[in-house]
Amino acid sequence: MDIKHRENDSRGMFFVKDEKGIYAELTYQKKAGDILVIDHTEVRPELEGQGIATKLLAHSVEFARENNYKIEPLCPFAEVQFDRNKSYNDVRA
């Protein structure tokens, strides 16, 4: 899976796409203090349950680690995953 990243001064997203377009995305807002607020995660309904959103979240955590960001998991999916995966505590805001 080829996870792509796009961002501007205030927002960003990690996503994967196919010939039909984007089929999964994780979006975030940039907040003062080098914090990324994950506000939305979505996967095309027919592809749910395959771990795609989990991979996007893991990719965002690696991005945060590499770039000295903290993550505030605002969206329900991200919040549950952060609660379940204690290895993400180092980047939790």
Side-chain angles (χ1 to χ4, degrees):
M1 174 180 325
D2 183 24
I3 298 174
K4 305 223 184 273
H5 181 225
R6 179 178 0 184
E7 71 177 359
N8 60 30
D9 290 339
S10 62
R11 297 197 52 78
M13 71 186 289
F14 293 95
F15 62 97
V16 285
K17 62 183 187 175
D18 59 16
E19 64 281 346
K20 296 178 190 172
I22 293 174
Y23 66 84
E25 67 182 21
L26 179 150
T27 62
Y28 61 86
Q29 302 171 46
K30 291 181 180 178
K31 202 164 117 177
D34 291 331
I35 295 174
L36 305 179
V37 180
I38 296 176
D39 55 12
H40 179 73
T41 308
E42 185 175 358
V43 176
R44 227 184 262 154
E46 67 269 18
L47 299 173
E48 288 178 356
Q50 297 181 25
I52 298 168
T54 302
K55 289 178 183 162
L56 287 174
L57 184 62
H59 197 80
S60 71
V61 168
E62 285 306 311
F63 175 80
R65 285 179 179 141
E66 291 169 4
N67 294 281
N68 297 314
Y69 286 112
K70 294 291 186 183
I71 293 177
E72 184 179 318
L74 181 64
C75 101
F77 172 80
E79 186 175 13
V80 166
Q81 293 303 313
F82 264 75
D83 289 345
R84 286 183 183 165
N85 195 335
K86 299 304 178 199
S87 70
Y88 292 170
N89 284 348
D90 64 313
V91 295
R92 190 169 198 160

